[in-house]
Amino acid sequence: DVKVTQSSRYLVKRTGEKVFLECVQDMDHENMFWYRQDPGLGLRLIYFSYDVKMKEKGDIPEGYSVSREKKERFSLILESASTNQTSMYLCASRRTGFNYGYTFGSGTRLTVV
Amino acid sequence: SQQGEEDPQALSIQEGENATMNCSYKTSINNLQWYRQNSGRGLVHLILIRSNEREKHSGRLRVTLDTSKKSSSLLITASRAADTASYFCATAFKAAGNKLTFGGGTRVLVKP
């Protein structure tokens, strides 16, 4: 079964910590995405990557960075975690082309205290 | 603001009934997609309809697209308790390099 795997389901971190959220896909997809989901705000795109070592800012990149050293892995980095980054983080991947859907991971619920 | 807006925000129906939810968007699209999210989990892709298509079926799901009105609807026929979830429309629009923009979702509760 093809899938996107996020390393943690639940994560609790302290303010100021550097946080790494890992995402791995086994479908050989070129494109990978990080979203955050908050009540009342829906899903918002943080960063995406359309190839190894390539990255593009989404709608809300401030306070985040990403790394894509291998095709299958896309990491989201919170440089200095803050309480307003408490959220559900969703990773997704997609094949290149106009008419393909996204495959999502199960999500990481991050709480920053 | 969000590209796609779902209506209603919440829907409660009895098992066996049909559930209909709508999505409106603002700009020209390449395609529109519907996703389901069970509580606290990731999203699951349900169906994709291209901008040159008007209707598409997948099992108990029927999606329509009206590009002149910039709207889409998702119909779930003969609903089951397992259909209880949030449903999101997402648009891939041409000006944004085909990234998906999600609406706020419709919460559907199917009562047994």
Side-chain angles (χ1 to χ4, degrees), chain B:
Chain B
S1 62
Q2 293 169 351
Q3 163 74 334
E5 299 286 347
E6 285 94 337
D7 171 61
Q9 290 188 330
L11 186 57
S12 180
I13 56 174
Q14 293 293 137
E15 207 165 25
E17 293 180 342
N18 295 341
T20 300
M21 60 210 85
N22 304 295
C23 172
S24 59
Y25 58 92
K26 297 175 183 175
T27 60
S28 295
I29 59 171
N30 282 326
N31 63 66
L32 185 144
Q33 303 177 29
W34 287 90
Y35 289 79
R36 183 186 74 235
Q37 184 180 37
N38 291 94
S39 180
R41 309 295 295 186
L43 280 73
V44 174
H45 181 254
L46 295 176
I47 198 164
L48 180 152
I49 186 164
R50 303 180 187 193
S51 58
N52 61 354
E53 296 175 313
R54 291 297 165 259
E55 187 171 312
K56 204 160 183 180
H57 297 254
S58 177
R60 293 183 295 111
L61 304 179
R62 172 178 167 253
V63 169
T64 62
L65 179 65
D66 187 334
T67 53
S68 67
K69 295 181 179 178
K70 293 186 170 58
S71 68
S72 174
S73 68
L74 170 67
L75 168 68
I76 306 172
T77 60
S79 62
R80 306 167 181 168
D83 295 327
T84 293
S86 291
Y87 293 82
F88 294 86
C89 73
T91 47
F93 57 110
K94 298 172 183 177
N98 221 36
K99 300 188 301 294
L100 280 187
T101 301
F102 288 82
T106 295
R107 294 186 311 278
V108 174
L109 172 63
V110 181
K111 294 178 283 188

Side-chain angles (χ1 to χ4, degrees), chain A residues 35 42 52 65 80 93 100 104:
Chain A
Y35 286 85
V52 176
S65 63
S80 177
S93 72
Y100 294 104
F104 278 86

Side-chain angles (χ1 to χ4, degrees), chain A residues 78-108:
Chain A
L78 285 65
E79 298 290 345
S80 177
S82 64
T83 54
N84 63 13
Q85 292 178 310
T86 291
S87 185
M88 168 72 100
Y89 289 87
L90 293 163
C91 176
S93 72
R94 180 179 66 86
R95 183 182 299 179
T96 293
F98 283 124
N99 291 304
Y100 294 104
Y102 285 20
T103 301
F104 278 86
S106 296
T108 295

